[in-house]
Amino acid sequence: MECKAIEYHIILEQFKDLLKQNGMKYTLQREIILKTLFENSTHFTPESLHRFIRDSYPNLNIGVATIYRTLGLLEKSDIISSISFGIQGKKYEFEQTHHDHLICDECGDIVEFLDKDIEKKQLEIAKEFGYKIVSHMMQIHGICPKCQAKLNEKE
Amino acid sequence: MECKAIEYHIILEQFKDLLKQNGMKYTLQREIILKTLFENSTHFTPESLHRFIRDSYPNLNIGVATIYRTLGLLEKSDIISSISFGIQGKKYEFEQTHHDHLICDECGDIVEFLDKDIEKKQLEIAKEFGYKIVSHMMQIHGICPKCQAKLNEKE
DNA sequence: GTCAGTGCAAAAGTTTTGCATACAG
DNA sequence: CTGTATGCAAAACTTTTGCACTGAC
């Protein structure tokens, strides 16, 4: 917790600097969106993030447009990243160290993981085709243990 | 070429059988959609596929709804598969043997590849978390050699 | 003939844009 | 004060649905 709090201030300062450098303004809406993404390891869709913030800050009355605009800004600044999880649509998450996703197709549960061998292989493949790597992502879709149990019960 | 022609008939027969088995009908629209996806290794969005077919068969007058309905049907039947390529949206391709994608973020070019070591690792990871694997996918985003050259010229 | 499939158009979602107002710098 | 950011509502897209009609079986 302590650790996270410190990190957050660093992130916030970086964000403020970035805004200042680009002649942009630091606003309560932008901070709340950043904070919400930082504090919740959930993967938000623009719509779910909007709902979550409306519920958490009933007095704020934040608009959808602001959500979309800020998500775009944060993503372009590499502070958050987005991935499309198939039928669940595009989701955003705070950009921590890179990791991949294991997704349950039944309940939508998401496990994050990182495998060094795979990371290394990816670099090799990009090199082989002469590509300059920008990012990479991997998703494994499956059924989580809980849902497997549930499905077995039904039979 | 010869080889592809033979394969296509096999696929078409399988598709017809599948339709018959489920009390569904074999229609010209369905065949043309299947054929177009089979013959073009391009990754189509519903919209680009619609446009392509309208252009290729001006007399057919196929509706968007049919495109969406048929893509859904073909995907559910594991004849084609869909992936979301970030900003480029959801795209469909003929389901060949499994492979992954290397995508140029500049020009949208897509290279397909397969790496056995990564495939093996994915199975191990799923197992580790108790997931029953359904599918998996990997995307490496980068800049292709051509675009790298173009970008260098500009400077 | 029967019933699933189609095209069309309307509806439902999702994301973007224009504009007057609010508010950070 | 100035000009960027916001909320709102309209617009632009994308995808789904309802329905009368067509066409496969």
Side-chain angles (χ1 to χ4, degrees), chain B residues 93-120:
Chain B
E93 67 176 330
F94 196 83
E95 175 83 30
Q96 302 154 298
T97 49
H98 170 75
H99 57 255
D100 293 306
H101 297 98
L102 182 54
I103 302 131
C104 177
D105 284 349
E106 277 296 316
C107 66
D109 187 48
I110 298 172
V111 175
E112 298 176 348
F113 69 88
L114 181 69
D115 184 279
K116 280 182 187 166
D117 293 344
I118 290 180
E119 301 291 312
K120 215 165 76 184

Short mmCIF file of all heavy atoms in Angstrom, two decimals, chain B residues 93-120:
data_model
loop_
_atom_site.label_atom_id
_atom_site.label_comp_id
_atom_site.label_asym_id
_atom_site.label_seq_id
_atom_site.Cartn_x
_atom_site.Cartn_y
_atom_site.Cartn_z
N GLU B 93 -10.32 -13.83 -40.94
CA GLU B 93 -9.50 -14.51 -41.93
C GLU B 93 -9.88 -15.98 -41.95
O GLU B 93 -10.45 -16.51 -41.01
CB GLU B 93 -8.01 -14.38 -41.58
CG GLU B 93 -7.64 -15.11 -40.31
CD GLU B 93 -6.15 -15.05 -40.00
OE1 GLU B 93 -5.35 -14.98 -40.94
OE2 GLU B 93 -5.81 -15.09 -38.82
N PHE B 94 -9.54 -16.61 -43.07
CA PHE B 94 -9.81 -18.03 -43.20
C PHE B 94 -8.99 -18.79 -42.17
O PHE B 94 -7.83 -18.49 -41.95
CB PHE B 94 -9.46 -18.49 -44.62
CG PHE B 94 -10.05 -19.80 -44.94
CD1 PHE B 94 -11.37 -19.87 -45.38
CD2 PHE B 94 -9.34 -20.95 -44.77
CE1 PHE B 94 -11.95 -21.08 -45.65
CE2 PHE B 94 -9.92 -22.19 -45.04
CZ PHE B 94 -11.22 -22.25 -45.48
N GLU B 95 -9.61 -19.77 -41.55
CA GLU B 95 -8.94 -20.52 -40.49
C GLU B 95 -8.04 -21.59 -41.09
O GLU B 95 -8.48 -22.67 -41.46
CB GLU B 95 -9.98 -21.17 -39.57
CG GLU B 95 -9.43 -22.08 -38.50
CD GLU B 95 -8.97 -21.28 -37.29
OE1 GLU B 95 -9.54 -20.21 -37.03
OE2 GLU B 95 -8.04 -21.74 -36.62
N GLN B 96 -6.76 -21.25 -41.22
CA GLN B 96 -5.82 -22.26 -41.68
C GLN B 96 -5.26 -22.91 -40.43
O GLN B 96 -5.91 -22.92 -39.41
CB GLN B 96 -4.70 -21.58 -42.47
CG GLN B 96 -5.27 -20.80 -43.65
CD GLN B 96 -4.35 -19.67 -44.01
OE1 GLN B 96 -4.13 -18.76 -43.20
NE2 GLN B 96 -3.83 -19.72 -45.22
N THR B 97 -4.07 -23.46 -40.53
CA THR B 97 -3.46 -23.93 -39.30
C THR B 97 -3.16 -22.70 -38.46
O THR B 97 -2.96 -21.61 -38.98
CB THR B 97 -2.13 -24.66 -39.61
OG1 THR B 97 -1.37 -23.82 -40.47
CG2 THR B 97 -2.38 -25.99 -40.26
N HIS B 98 -3.14 -22.88 -37.18
CA HIS B 98 -2.92 -21.76 -36.26
C HIS B 98 -1.60 -21.04 -36.55
O HIS B 98 -0.60 -21.65 -36.88
CB HIS B 98 -2.93 -22.24 -34.83
CG HIS B 98 -2.48 -21.19 -33.88
ND1 HIS B 98 -3.28 -20.14 -33.54
CD2 HIS B 98 -1.30 -21.00 -33.23
CE1 HIS B 98 -2.61 -19.34 -32.72
NE2 HIS B 98 -1.41 -19.85 -32.51
N HIS B 99 -1.64 -19.74 -36.41
CA HIS B 99 -0.43 -18.94 -36.59
C HIS B 99 -0.61 -17.63 -35.85
O HIS B 99 -1.72 -17.28 -35.44
CB HIS B 99 -0.20 -18.69 -38.08
CG HIS B 99 -1.36 -18.01 -38.73
ND1 HIS B 99 -2.22 -18.67 -39.55
CD2 HIS B 99 -1.81 -16.75 -38.63
CE1 HIS B 99 -3.16 -17.83 -39.96
NE2 HIS B 99 -2.94 -16.66 -39.41
N ASP B 100 0.47 -16.90 -35.69
CA ASP B 100 0.39 -15.61 -35.02
C ASP B 100 0.69 -14.49 -35.99
O ASP B 100 0.96 -14.75 -37.16
CB ASP B 100 1.34 -15.61 -33.82
CG ASP B 100 0.87 -16.58 -32.76
OD1 ASP B 100 -0.29 -16.47 -32.33
OD2 ASP B 100 1.66 -17.48 -32.38
N HIS B 101 0.60 -13.26 -35.52
CA HIS B 101 0.72 -12.11 -36.42
C HIS B 101 1.76 -11.09 -35.99
O HIS B 101 1.88 -10.77 -34.81
CB HIS B 101 -0.64 -11.41 -36.54
CG HIS B 101 -1.70 -12.27 -37.14
ND1 HIS B 101 -2.62 -12.94 -36.37
CD2 HIS B 101 -1.96 -12.60 -38.43
CE1 HIS B 101 -3.42 -13.63 -37.17
NE2 HIS B 101 -3.05 -13.44 -38.42
N LEU B 102 2.46 -10.59 -37.01
CA LEU B 102 3.42 -9.52 -36.84
C LEU B 102 2.84 -8.37 -37.65
O LEU B 102 2.63 -8.50 -38.86
CB LEU B 102 4.75 -10.00 -37.43
CG LEU B 102 6.00 -9.14 -37.39
CD1 LEU B 102 6.30 -8.68 -35.97
CD2 LEU B 102 7.19 -9.94 -37.93
N ILE B 103 2.48 -7.28 -36.97
CA ILE B 103 1.71 -6.22 -37.63
C ILE B 103 2.49 -4.92 -37.72
O ILE B 103 3.05 -4.46 -36.71
CB ILE B 103 0.42 -5.95 -36.83
CG1 ILE B 103 -0.40 -7.23 -36.74
CG2 ILE B 103 -0.40 -4.83 -37.47
CD1 ILE B 103 -0.85 -7.53 -35.34
N CYS B 104 2.51 -4.30 -38.89
CA CYS B 104 3.16 -3.01 -39.03
C CYS B 104 2.19 -1.91 -38.61
O CYS B 104 1.11 -1.78 -39.18
CB CYS B 104 3.62 -2.76 -40.46
SG CYS B 104 4.35 -1.12 -40.66
N ASP B 105 2.57 -1.13 -37.62
CA ASP B 105 1.70 -0.07 -37.11
C ASP B 105 1.63 1.12 -38.06
O ASP B 105 0.76 1.97 -37.93
CB ASP B 105 2.17 0.40 -35.73
CG ASP B 105 1.80 -0.60 -34.64
OD1 ASP B 105 1.01 -1.52 -34.93
OD2 ASP B 105 2.29 -0.44 -33.51
N GLU B 106 2.54 1.18 -39.04
CA GLU B 106 2.52 2.27 -40.01
C GLU B 106 1.56 1.98 -41.15
O GLU B 106 0.62 2.71 -41.38
CB GLU B 106 3.93 2.50 -40.59
CG GLU B 106 4.84 3.37 -39.75
CD GLU B 106 4.34 4.81 -39.59
OE1 GLU B 106 3.90 5.40 -40.58
OE2 GLU B 106 4.37 5.31 -38.45
N CYS B 107 1.80 0.86 -41.85
CA CYS B 107 1.04 0.58 -43.07
C CYS B 107 0.01 -0.53 -42.89
O CYS B 107 -0.76 -0.82 -43.80
CB CYS B 107 1.98 0.22 -44.21
SG CYS B 107 2.87 -1.33 -43.98
N GLY B 108 -0.02 -1.15 -41.71
CA GLY B 108 -1.03 -2.17 -41.47
C GLY B 108 -0.69 -3.53 -42.06
O GLY B 108 -1.48 -4.46 -41.97
N ASP B 109 0.48 -3.65 -42.65
CA ASP B 109 0.91 -4.91 -43.24
C ASP B 109 0.95 -6.01 -42.17
O ASP B 109 1.31 -5.75 -41.03
CB ASP B 109 2.31 -4.73 -43.84
CG ASP B 109 2.75 -5.95 -44.62
OD1 ASP B 109 1.96 -6.43 -45.44
OD2 ASP B 109 3.90 -6.40 -44.41
N ILE B 110 0.55 -7.20 -42.53
CA ILE B 110 0.52 -8.30 -41.57
C ILE B 110 1.34 -9.48 -42.04
O ILE B 110 1.16 -9.96 -43.16
CB ILE B 110 -0.94 -8.75 -41.32
CG1 ILE B 110 -1.75 -7.59 -40.73
CG2 ILE B 110 -0.98 -9.95 -40.39
CD1 ILE B 110 -3.24 -7.87 -40.63
N VAL B 111 2.27 -9.92 -41.21
CA VAL B 111 3.06 -11.12 -41.51
C VAL B 111 2.58 -12.22 -40.58
O VAL B 111 2.37 -11.98 -39.40
CB VAL B 111 4.57 -10.88 -41.26
CG1 VAL B 111 5.35 -12.18 -41.46
CG2 VAL B 111 5.10 -9.79 -42.15
N GLU B 112 2.38 -13.41 -41.13
CA GLU B 112 1.96 -14.52 -40.29
C GLU B 112 3.15 -15.39 -39.94
O GLU B 112 4.03 -15.59 -40.79
CB GLU B 112 0.90 -15.34 -41.01
CG GLU B 112 -0.35 -14.50 -41.29
CD GLU B 112 -1.39 -15.26 -42.10
OE1 GLU B 112 -1.07 -16.33 -42.62
OE2 GLU B 112 -2.52 -14.74 -42.20
N PHE B 113 3.19 -15.90 -38.74
CA PHE B 113 4.30 -16.78 -38.37
C PHE B 113 3.84 -17.79 -37.33
O PHE B 113 2.77 -17.66 -36.73
CB PHE B 113 5.48 -15.97 -37.84
CG PHE B 113 5.22 -15.32 -36.51
CD1 PHE B 113 5.47 -15.99 -35.32
CD2 PHE B 113 4.71 -14.04 -36.46
CE1 PHE B 113 5.22 -15.40 -34.11
CE2 PHE B 113 4.45 -13.44 -35.24
CZ PHE B 113 4.70 -14.11 -34.06
N LEU B 114 4.68 -18.77 -37.13
CA LEU B 114 4.37 -19.79 -36.13
C LEU B 114 5.67 -20.20 -35.46
O LEU B 114 6.66 -20.46 -36.13
CB LEU B 114 3.75 -21.02 -36.81
CG LEU B 114 3.37 -22.16 -35.87
CD1 LEU B 114 2.19 -21.73 -35.01
CD2 LEU B 114 3.01 -23.40 -36.66
N ASP B 115 5.67 -20.22 -34.14
CA ASP B 115 6.88 -20.62 -33.42
C ASP B 115 6.54 -21.73 -32.44
O ASP B 115 5.75 -21.53 -31.52
CB ASP B 115 7.47 -19.41 -32.69
CG ASP B 115 8.78 -19.76 -32.03
OD1 ASP B 115 8.75 -20.35 -30.92
OD2 ASP B 115 9.83 -19.47 -32.62
N LYS B 116 7.13 -22.88 -32.66
CA LYS B 116 6.79 -24.06 -31.87
C LYS B 116 7.10 -23.88 -30.38
O LYS B 116 6.35 -24.33 -29.52
CB LYS B 116 7.52 -25.28 -32.42
CG LYS B 116 6.82 -25.86 -33.63
CD LYS B 116 7.53 -27.11 -34.14
CE LYS B 116 6.91 -27.56 -35.47
NZ LYS B 116 7.74 -28.55 -36.16
N ASP B 117 8.23 -23.23 -30.09
CA ASP B 117 8.62 -23.05 -28.69
C ASP B 117 7.58 -22.22 -27.95
O ASP B 117 7.21 -22.52 -26.81
CB ASP B 117 9.98 -22.35 -28.60
CG ASP B 117 11.09 -23.24 -29.15
OD1 ASP B 117 10.84 -24.45 -29.30
OD2 ASP B 117 12.18 -22.71 -29.42
N ILE B 118 7.11 -21.16 -28.62
CA ILE B 118 6.11 -20.31 -27.97
C ILE B 118 4.81 -21.09 -27.76
O ILE B 118 4.21 -21.04 -26.69
CB ILE B 118 5.86 -19.04 -28.82
CG1 ILE B 118 7.11 -18.14 -28.76
CG2 ILE B 118 4.63 -18.29 -28.32
CD1 ILE B 118 6.99 -16.85 -29.55
N GLU B 119 4.42 -21.85 -28.76
CA GLU B 119 3.21 -22.65 -28.64
C GLU B 119 3.28 -23.57 -27.42
O GLU B 119 2.33 -23.71 -26.67
CB GLU B 119 3.00 -23.50 -29.90
CG GLU B 119 2.88 -22.72 -31.20
CD GLU B 119 1.60 -21.91 -31.30
OE1 GLU B 119 0.53 -22.47 -31.04
OE2 GLU B 119 1.69 -20.71 -31.64
N LYS B 120 4.46 -24.18 -27.27
CA LYS B 120 4.66 -25.13 -26.17
C LYS B 120 4.56 -24.41 -24.83
O LYS B 120 3.89 -24.87 -23.90
CB LYS B 120 6.02 -25.81 -26.32
CG LYS B 120 6.05 -27.25 -25.87
CD LYS B 120 7.30 -27.96 -26.37
CE LYS B 120 8.55 -27.60 -25.57
NZ LYS B 120 9.78 -28.22 -26.13
#
